[in-house]
């Protein structure tokens, strides 16, 4: 056995083993009909991204699930990849070009896209390289990108198919416009924020009277199409149908009536601006009002505003307020708290805008996706998110899928000179349709103009579980392009964040049922948000997010992986503290030092047949008993841990394993079998116990491997000589085995005895080196005799006597048996009497409360039988302890 170094050096070990795994292609997967597939697709991070704490949490969980499946003999396939992220990437490239003195507007589309590809090739792979540092066991040969040719083609084909089915259409709608990115964003990408604003009261004058409205947006009054009042509002009934003039521009508008207006809100009069408010747009449609759009795509006033042309909307707001004051139309201003929509990507305040866009009808498509989540065909973990999902999907709106950008999947729509739109894969196909359908034989490709817009980024990522396996590609005779899609799809688990449950998860489910007739994954594990100690979401802008790579360098990848998952139940936020990573590192060191301890033991030679060993090995308690106990304990914990995995209780699975190694193995088992020291020298351990201990360590490393892949591989390789190219990655994951509950109960008794004796020593300030005699009053002497060697060793007991009466010394009751430590000269009688009386008073109180519970008819009628039996047993145990304490007090006088 190769001796490991004195201290654990994570970096050296991590680099060595990750290279070994890659060189031996342990993560590589291909369809194998003899093995059950286990498939998981990575939520593709943006090519603009670098590893953050959310990625660490998400990808650690994915890696744990993948490694465990691989060890269980499944054909594990974890597909990595990145998303082209239209808005984010284009913003990065525009900013880069600006620094070089280049304006996007001065470039052709092809020139700009060249810069985008250069940027993507330079920076797009950073996050995937960082995931390797974490230990991610992805099949890197399968890395996909949403803009690579095969996936690009899939997006275009799906657009054409849905358009041909009548699900995609083009029309004018009120959309969310991001003036900074100069594109539409979906409803789900709008973040509502509370802001403190001014509420402006503005008077509109007319020949037959005046009205005053209240608005937070005086800069839009030039786009007003009407004033609206409630028909039941007596204050304004005489004005309905009359006209008033818009201040500053003097254009006349009509006062209309509609029950939409709330009479007791504001002034009871509402300015209707159909081009710049969603609700006003609906009112405008109902009353046939003119739509006047006074803002440019950049959020500046245009010529239709008539005044302050070219001014930014927020600058114009202040200037309009000043002009209204000067004209006498500003009645008053008030501070006002309201909410505004902001762009998730740029933070810009969203501008409602009427725009010609492409939309996908969602009602038909959403039905199977809603039904199969609500009936648990697809499991959301935790299930509390089903309510959110149901609300979104039951009230789904058509999806605006076009974006006014250049980087992305360009919409396959081509316009003839007269504006007729043809949806086709390319110009050649569009020209064929034009000739076949419209008989335009003189038309050429140069006469066709492709739509300038690209598709929403989510329109490519919703196909991800299918497209990564080329599931949309077919051979010439209509067969699947390869065997991957039929083998790996549907996938097993998806690990993602609740924030994109609708953005991405719901849409992938929709695509799965539409194109494969089944779900894309069986389980959706929703992680929580990583927050700092103050409860704030970790972000670069707040400066409260540590660099994951720096954490790995400081604590080791295994330390960070376990640190992230020590307290991260599904769906609940993770209150991150760097001390968790420190705890993870300490766990690594604990495992390392435990193995070093075992390696350092001298082994007694096996006794020759018919003879005796040349080295006399004194009894060390029962090594075989300790081994049997730990194997039983480990088998029980393994079964519990597997149950946690099956129920996606990931933190519980980790903590069960952690406690088994730290407490049961390192603190208890090793102490039981540890060779004694005589004259400063450790005695040898018997070969059988030593071999059993190495076998146990082997299984523990396999159990912890999904969580701590690096240190487990290093130690597993060292436990015994392995075959060439052998790895713990492919070793069998523990399955549990026989559990001796009687033996486990006996050892619970052992812990309690040892713990009580040690606490008594501490309280009496008796040296742990001073051996003490122990008397036991029990009806099951054989039980204690079996444990006697371990009791003596671990509690430093000189002798165990079995008595029928009360013995002299300090007494305590365990499981109905009375045990007494003879302290001799160390016993202070008065102090002991006081301690016994205190214990007696507590037990008497406990007995009284238990009796009250059992005499409560409602409790007895409603409680489960096993609960009632447990309370009755507590009463019996209390009676035994009371008798023992009273006898002990009587004996002390």
């Amino acid at each position: 056995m190769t001796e490991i170094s004195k201290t654990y050096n994570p970096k050296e070990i991590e680099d060595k083993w990750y290279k070994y795994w890659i060189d031996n292609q342990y993560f590589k997967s291909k369809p194998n009909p003899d093995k059950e597939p286990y498939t998981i697709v990575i939520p593709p991070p943006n090519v603009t991204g670098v590893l953050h704490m959310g990625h660490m949490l998400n990808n650690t969980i994915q890696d744990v699930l993948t490694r465990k499946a691989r060890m269980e003999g499944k054909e594990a396939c974890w597909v990595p990849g990145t998303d082209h992220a239209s808005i984010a990437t284009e913003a990065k490239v525009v900013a880069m070009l600006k620094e070089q003195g280049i304006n996007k507007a001065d470039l052709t589309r092809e020139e700009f896209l060249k810069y985008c590809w250069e940027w993507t090739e330079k920076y797009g792979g950073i996050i995937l390289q960082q995931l390797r540092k974490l230990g991610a066991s992805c099949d890197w040969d399968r890395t996909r990108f949403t803009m690579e040719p095969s996936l690009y083609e899939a997006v275009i084909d799906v657009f054409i198919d849905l358009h041909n089915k009548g699900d995609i259409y083009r029309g004018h709608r009120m959309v969310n416009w991001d003036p900074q990115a100069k594109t539409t964003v979906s409803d789900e990408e709008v973040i509502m924020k509370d802001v403190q604003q001014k509420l402006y009261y503005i008077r509109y004058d007319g020949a037959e009277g005046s009205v005053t409205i209240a608005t937070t947006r005086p800069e839009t009054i030039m786009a007003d199409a009407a004033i609206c009042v409630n028909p039941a509002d007596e204050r304004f009934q005489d004005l309905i149908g009359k006209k008033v003039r818009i201040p500053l521009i003097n254009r006349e508008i009509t006062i209309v009536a509609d029950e939409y207006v709330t009479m007791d809100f504001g002034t009871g009069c509402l300015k209707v601006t159909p081009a710049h408010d969603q609700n006003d747009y609906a009112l405008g449609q109902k009353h046939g009002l003119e739509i006047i759009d006074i803002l440019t795509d950049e959020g500046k006033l245009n010529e239709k505003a008539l005044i302050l042309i070219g001014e930014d909307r927020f600058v114009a707001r202040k200037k309009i307020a000043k002009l209204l004051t000067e004209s006498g139309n500003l009645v008053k201003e008030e501070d006002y708290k309201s909410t505004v929509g902001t762009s998730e990507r740029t933070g810009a305040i969203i501008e409602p805008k009427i725009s010609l866009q492409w939309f996908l009808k969602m009602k038909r498509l959403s039905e199977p996706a809603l039904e199969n989540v609500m009936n648990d065909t697809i499991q959301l973990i935790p299930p509390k998110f089903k309510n959110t999902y149901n609300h979104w999907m039951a009230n789904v709106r058509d999806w605006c899928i076009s974006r006014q950008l250049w980087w992305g999947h360009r919409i396959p729509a081509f316009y003839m000179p007269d504006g007729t739109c043809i949806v086709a894969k390319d110009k050649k196909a569009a020209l064929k349709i034009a000739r076949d359908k419209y008989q335009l034989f003189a038309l050429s490709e140069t006469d066709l103009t492709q739509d300038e817009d690209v598709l929403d980024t989510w329109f490519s990522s919703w196909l991800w579980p299918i497209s990564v396996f080329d599931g949309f590609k077919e051979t010439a005779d209509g067969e699947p392009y390869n065997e991957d899609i039929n083998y790996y799809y549907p996938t097993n688990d998806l690990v993602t964040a609740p924030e994109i449950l609708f953005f991405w998860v719901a849409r992938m489910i929709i695509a799965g049922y539409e194109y494969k007739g089944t779900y894309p994954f069986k389980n959706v594990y929703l992680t929580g948000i990583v927050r700092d100690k103050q409860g704030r979401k970790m972000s670069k802008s707040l400066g409260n997010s540590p660099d994951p790579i720096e954490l790995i360098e400081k604590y080791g990848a295994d330390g960070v992986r376990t640190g992230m998952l020590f307290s991260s139940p599904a769906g609940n936020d993770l209150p991150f503290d760097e001390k968790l990573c420190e705890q993870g590192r300490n766990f690594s060191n604990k495992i390392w030092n435990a193995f070093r301890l075992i390696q350092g033991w001298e082994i007694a030679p096996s006794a020759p047949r018919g003879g005796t060993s040349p080295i006399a090995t004194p009894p060390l308690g029962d090594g075989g008993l300790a081994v049997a106990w730990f194997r039983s304990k480990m088998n029980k914990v393994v079964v519990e841990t597997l149950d946690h995995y099956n129920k996606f209780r990931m933190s519980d699975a980790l903590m069960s394993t952690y406690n088994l190694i730290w407490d049961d193995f390192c603190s208890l088992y090793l102490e039981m079998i540890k060779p004694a020291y005589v004259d400063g020298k450790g005695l040898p351990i018997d070969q059988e116990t030593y071999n059993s201990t190495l076998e146990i360590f082997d299984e523990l490393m396999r159990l912890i491997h999904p969580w701590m892949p690096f240190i487990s591989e290093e130690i597993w390789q060292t436990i015994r000589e392995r075959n060439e190219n052998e790895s713990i990655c492919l070793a069998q994951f523990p399955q549990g085995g026989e559990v001796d509950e009687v033996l486990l109960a006996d050892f619970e008794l052992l812990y309690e005895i040892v713990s009580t004796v040690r606490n008594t020593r501490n309280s009496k300030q008796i040296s742990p080196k001073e051996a003490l005699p122990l008397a036991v009053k029990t009806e099951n002497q054989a039980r204690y005799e079996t444990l006697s060697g371990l009791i003596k060793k671990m509690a430093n007991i000189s002798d165990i006597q079995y008595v029928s009466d009360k013995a002299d010394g300090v007494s305590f009751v365990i499981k109905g048996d009375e045990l007494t430590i003879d302290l001799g000269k160390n016993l202070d009688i008065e102090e002991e009497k006081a301690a016994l009386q205190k214990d007696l008073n507590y037990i008497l109180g406990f007995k009284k409360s238990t009796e009250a519970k059992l005499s409560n008819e409602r409790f007895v009628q409603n409680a489960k039988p096993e609960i009632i039996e447990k309370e009755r047993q507590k009463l019996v145990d209390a009676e035994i302890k009371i008798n023992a304490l009273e006898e002990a007090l009587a004996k002390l006088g």
Side-chain angles (χ1 to χ4, degrees):
M1 186 190 299
T2 306
E3 188 173 337
I4 62 173
S5 61
K6 184 177 180 181
T7 56
Y8 176 52
N9 183 344
K11 180 167 175 46
E12 179 184 312
I13 285 168
E14 289 163 10
D15 292 345
K16 174 179 74 174
W17 289 118
Y18 203 85
K19 183 178 185 303
Y20 177 78
W21 296 331
I22 295 296
D23 289 348
N24 286 281
Q25 298 187 330
Y26 293 131
F27 309 152
K28 189 174 179 62
S29 179
K30 60 182 180 180
N32 184 342
D34 297 327
K35 294 172 73 175
E36 177 188 346
Y38 176 83
T39 319
I40 193 164
V41 293
I42 197 170
N46 291 351
V47 287
T48 59
V50 292
L51 203 62
H52 59 59
M53 298 305 287
H55 291 134
M56 293 282 281
L57 174 62
N58 184 298
N59 286 283
T60 295
I61 293 170
Q62 290 179 78
D63 195 43
V64 169
L65 294 171
T66 304
R67 286 180 179 273
K68 174 176 171 285
R70 191 178 289 119
M71 294 176 76
E72 290 173 329
K74 297 173 184 175
E75 187 60 42
C77 181
W78 181 14
V79 182
T82 50
D83 189 282
H84 65 284
S86 291
I87 296 176
T89 302
E90 188 149 325
K92 290 275 188 184
V93 174
V94 168
M96 177 193 74
L97 292 174
K98 198 171 184 179
E99 289 177 2
Q100 298 173 17
I102 303 172
N103 192 326
K104 178 190 172 185
D106 298 330
L107 298 173
T108 65
R109 188 185 194 110
E110 290 68 29
E111 288 169 339
F112 180 75
L113 289 178
K114 184 181 177 185
Y115 282 113
C116 289
W117 278 109
E118 287 175 357
W119 193 95
T120 298
E121 286 158 9
K122 184 175 181 180
Y123 298 105
I126 290 176
I127 193 166
L128 298 183
Q129 289 299 321
Q130 290 176 322
L131 284 176
R132 294 169 185 249
K133 292 287 186 185
L134 184 65
S137 62
C138 301
D139 183 350
W140 297 108
D141 292 340
R142 289 182 175 274
T143 303
R144 307 307 297 259
F145 177 47
T146 51
M147 284 280 282
E148 68 176 85
S150 176
L151 274 66
Y152 192 106
E153 186 177 0
V155 172
I156 301 306
D157 287 346
V158 166
F159 181 97
I160 295 168
D161 176 67
L162 291 171
H163 181 269
N164 291 342
K165 290 174 180 174
D167 292 313
I168 286 179
Y169 64 93
R170 194 173 185 233
H172 285 91
R173 295 287 186 279
M174 177 72 73
V175 296
N176 304 304
W177 184 261
D178 180 341
Q180 188 171 323
K182 288 186 281 189
T183 185
T184 57
V185 293
S186 67
D187 291 341
E188 295 76 31
E189 292 168 302
V190 176
I191 308 299
M192 302 306 295
K193 291 185 178 178
D194 291 333
V195 294
Q196 197 67 40
Q197 298 192 93
K198 293 285 186 185
L199 188 62
Y200 300 88
Y201 288 79
I202 304 169
R203 191 183 70 252
Y204 289 60
D205 296 319
E208 300 183 53
S210 300
V211 292
T212 299
I213 60 95
T215 181
T216 58
R217 302 202 62 190
E219 73 276 12
T220 64
I221 63 172
M222 295 84 74
D224 289 352
I227 299 292
C228 192
V229 298
N230 192 299
D233 196 330
E234 296 179 357
R235 294 173 295 174
F236 308 112
Q237 283 182 348
D238 292 343
L239 293 176
I240 294 172
K242 302 296 191 297
K243 294 185 181 295
V244 289
R245 293 183 303 279
I246 299 172
L248 306 181
I249 63 170
N250 289 323
R251 178 165 55 81
E252 284 192 333
I253 53 176
T254 304
I255 298 174
V256 298
D258 197 289
E259 292 177 349
Y260 169 78
V261 179
T262 305
M263 290 187 285
D264 57 359
F265 180 77
T267 64
C269 296
L270 176 74
K271 67 188 283 293
V272 184
T273 318
H276 299 290
D277 182 271
Q278 185 73 52
N279 296 320
D280 288 8
Y281 176 72
L283 270 176
Q285 293 290 100
K286 183 177 178 180
H287 292 275
L289 301 178
E290 184 181 5
I291 296 173
I292 306 169
D293 186 348
I294 63 167
L295 292 175
T296 66
D297 289 350
E298 293 82 9
K300 296 178 180 179
L301 298 188
N302 62 26
E303 291 78 6
K304 292 180 182 178
L306 302 179
I307 57 174
L308 302 177
I309 297 166
E311 292 283 8
D312 179 80
R313 53 187 170 153
F314 298 117
V315 174
R317 180 177 298 178
K318 294 179 180 179
K319 290 187 175 182
I320 291 285
K322 185 179 179 183
L323 291 172
L324 288 170
T325 301
E326 292 170 355
S327 69
N329 292 92
L330 186 63
V331 178
K332 62 177 179 176
E333 293 179 15
E334 289 179 350
D335 289 330
Y336 182 68
K337 187 176 182 180
S338 65
T339 57
V340 297
T342 62
S343 170
E344 182 188 42
R345 294 295 181 191
T346 66
I349 292 179
I350 291 297
E351 191 63 53
K353 184 178 178 68
I354 302 293
S355 182
L356 183 61
Q357 302 287 343
W358 289 91
F359 294 86
L360 174 61
K361 296 176 184 177
M362 296 294 282
K363 190 175 187 309
R364 176 189 71 83
L365 292 167
S366 298
E367 287 171 357
L370 174 58
E371 177 187 350
N372 286 286
V373 168
M374 299 315 293
N375 67 17
D376 291 330
T377 298
I378 300 168
Q379 298 266 353
L380 297 188
I381 302 151
K384 68 179 183 181
F385 285 106
K386 284 174 67 175
N387 290 334
T388 306
Y389 184 90
N390 181 51
H391 175 73
W392 279 338
M393 298 296 280
N395 299 283
V396 70
R397 294 170 60 183
D398 287 357
W399 175 10
C400 178
I401 56 175
S402 48
R403 297 291 181 268
Q404 289 64 55
L405 300 164
W406 281 352
W407 175 245
H409 304 82
R410 192 170 180 181
I411 291 175
F414 301 86
Y415 301 97
M416 296 194 297
D418 66 354
T420 301
C421 178
I422 299 173
V423 171
K425 198 158 189 173
D426 51 33
K427 275 191 177 183
K428 185 177 180 180
L431 183 61
K432 186 177 186 306
I433 292 171
R435 288 174 174 174
D436 293 348
K437 185 175 180 179
Y438 300 106
Q439 309 297 307
L440 298 173
F441 299 110
L443 205 68
S444 68
E445 288 186 21
T446 55
D447 297 318
L448 299 175
T449 305
Q450 187 172 355
D451 199 302
E452 289 290 324
D453 290 354
V454 298
L455 288 159
D456 180 11
T457 297
W458 298 108
F459 196 85
S460 57
S461 53
W462 78 317
L463 309 176
W464 186 251
I466 305 173
S467 61
V468 295
F469 298 115
D470 291 321
F472 291 98
K473 295 178 74 174
E474 294 181 345
T475 61
D477 55 359
E479 293 297 314
Y481 175 74
N482 58 34
E483 56 185 331
D484 284 4
I485 189 67
N486 291 334
Y487 183 76
Y488 292 116
Y489 189 94
T491 68
N492 296 75
D493 304 321
L494 178 76
V495 182
T496 190
E499 306 96 273
I500 55 175
L501 181 56
F502 183 75
F503 278 155
W504 190 45
V505 178
R507 289 168 177 168
M508 283 191 289
I509 297 171
I510 290 170
Y513 280 102
E514 180 69 10
Y515 288 102
K516 290 298 167 186
T518 187
Y519 50 82
F521 27 71
K522 183 63 180 169
N523 304 296
V524 181
Y525 181 99
L526 297 158
T527 63
I529 296 171
V530 184
R531 299 188 180 275
D532 65 13
K533 287 185 283 187
Q534 299 176 41
R536 301 175 302 174
K537 182 177 179 179
M538 285 190 167
S539 68
K540 285 183 182 178
S541 59
L542 289 175
N544 63 345
S545 180
D547 182 340
I549 300 301
E550 290 179 6
L551 287 178
I552 289 173
E553 289 173 357
K554 187 174 181 180
Y555 299 106
D558 290 338
V560 177
R561 286 166 67 107
T562 50
M564 291 291 292
L565 271 298
F566 277 136
S567 59
S568 182
N572 290 345
D573 291 350
L574 169 63
F576 180 77
D577 189 326
E578 201 168 313
K579 288 179 180 177
L580 291 168
C581 294
E582 188 177 341
Q583 183 183 350
R585 181 186 62 188
N586 292 345
F587 188 31
S588 298
N589 290 336
K590 186 80 170 179
I591 294 171
W592 190 261
N593 291 333
F595 189 65
R596 282 192 68 244
L597 174 69
I598 296 166
Q599 272 198 321
W601 290 340
E602 183 183 345
I603 306 166
S606 300
R609 187 168 300 210
T612 58
S613 169
I615 298 178
T617 306
L620 303 172
D622 189 349
L625 187 65
V627 169
W629 163 74
F630 189 80
R631 281 186 168 146
S632 234
K633 181 71 176 180
M634 182 163 60
N635 286 339
K636 186 172 184 176
V637 171
V638 166
V639 171
E640 291 172 356
T641 302
L642 289 171
D643 184 56
H644 289 320
Y645 276 118
N646 290 337
K647 294 172 181 172
F648 290 89
R649 296 195 294 251
M650 304 303 288
S651 286
D652 292 341
L654 171 59
M655 288 310 299
S656 291
T657 308
Y658 174 90
N659 291 331
L660 177 70
I661 294 174
W662 189 292
D663 296 333
D664 298 315
F665 183 77
C666 295
S667 299
L668 295 175
Y669 175 77
L670 290 183
E671 186 177 0
M672 292 178 199
I673 66 164
K674 183 172 62 179
Y677 270 73
V678 176
D679 298 328
K681 182 182 178 183
L683 296 175
I685 185 172
D686 68 279
Q687 185 77 54
E688 188 175 348
T689 302
Y690 185 77
N691 289 345
S692 296
T693 301
L694 290 182
E695 289 171 7
I696 286 169
F697 219 115
D698 184 299
E699 186 162 350
L700 290 174
M701 291 304 94
R702 286 183 280 123
L703 187 62
I704 197 65
H705 174 73
W707 302 95
M708 307 178 80
F710 294 106
I711 193 171
S712 59
E713 181 79 83
E714 176 74 12
I715 291 177
W716 186 84
Q717 293 281 357
T718 311
I719 288 173
R720 64 174 176 82
E721 189 174 340
R722 305 289 177 182
N723 296 327
E724 188 178 354
N725 300 334
E726 197 172 357
S727 171
I728 195 172
C729 291
L730 303 180
Q732 185 180 22
F733 192 77
Q735 293 301 305
E738 188 177 342
V739 176
D740 187 337
E741 292 289 355
V742 173
L743 185 60
L744 292 181
D746 286 348
F747 270 71
E748 289 292 332
L749 174 67
L750 171 65
Y751 313 150
E752 204 165 341
I753 293 170
V754 172
S755 177
T756 305
V757 171
R758 289 176 176 176
N759 290 339
T760 301
R761 285 180 186 277
N762 289 337
S763 66
K764 308 298 182 186
Q765 297 183 327
I766 301 171
S767 170
K769 294 180 180 180
E770 183 179 340
L772 300 170
L774 179 70
V776 180
K777 182 182 176 185
T778 180
E779 295 179 359
N780 190 355
Q781 184 174 328
R783 187 183 194 191
Y784 287 85
E785 287 175 345
T786 301
L787 299 170
S788 62
L790 291 171
I791 293 172
K792 288 177 179 179
K793 179 181 181 182
M794 299 177 73
N796 195 10
I797 296 298
S798 57
D799 180 52
I800 299 177
Q801 294 290 327
Y802 297 96
V803 299
S804 55
D805 294 320
K806 178 75 180 72
D808 292 331
V810 175
S811 297
F812 53 96
V813 177
I814 298 176
K815 313 293 184 191
D817 296 335
E818 186 177 354
L819 295 89
T820 305
I821 311 168
D822 186 356
L823 299 181
K825 65 181 186 302
N826 295 304
L827 180 63
D828 182 323
I829 291 177
E830 292 304 316
E831 184 182 314
E832 186 60 23
K833 284 169 69 176
L836 288 171
Q837 188 61 55
K838 183 179 179 182
D839 289 346
L840 179 60
N841 292 341
Y842 171 79
I843 295 296
L844 287 168
F846 178 80
K847 178 192 172 191
K848 186 177 180 181
S849 66
T850 306
E851 287 173 333
K853 188 180 286 186
L854 288 169
S855 64
N856 184 325
E857 289 184 14
R858 181 178 293 180
F859 170 76
V860 174
Q861 287 173 0
N862 296 327
K864 293 179 180 179
E866 58 266 29
I867 299 293
I868 297 171
E869 183 56 36
K870 190 178 286 186
E871 292 299 318
R872 285 175 178 156
Q873 187 57 50
K874 286 180 183 178
L875 198 58
V876 172
D877 291 342
E879 291 282 7
I880 293 170
K881 287 185 179 180
I882 288 167
N883 291 336
L885 289 167
E886 287 176 341
E887 284 181 20
L889 278 167
K891 190 149 191 175
L892 289 174

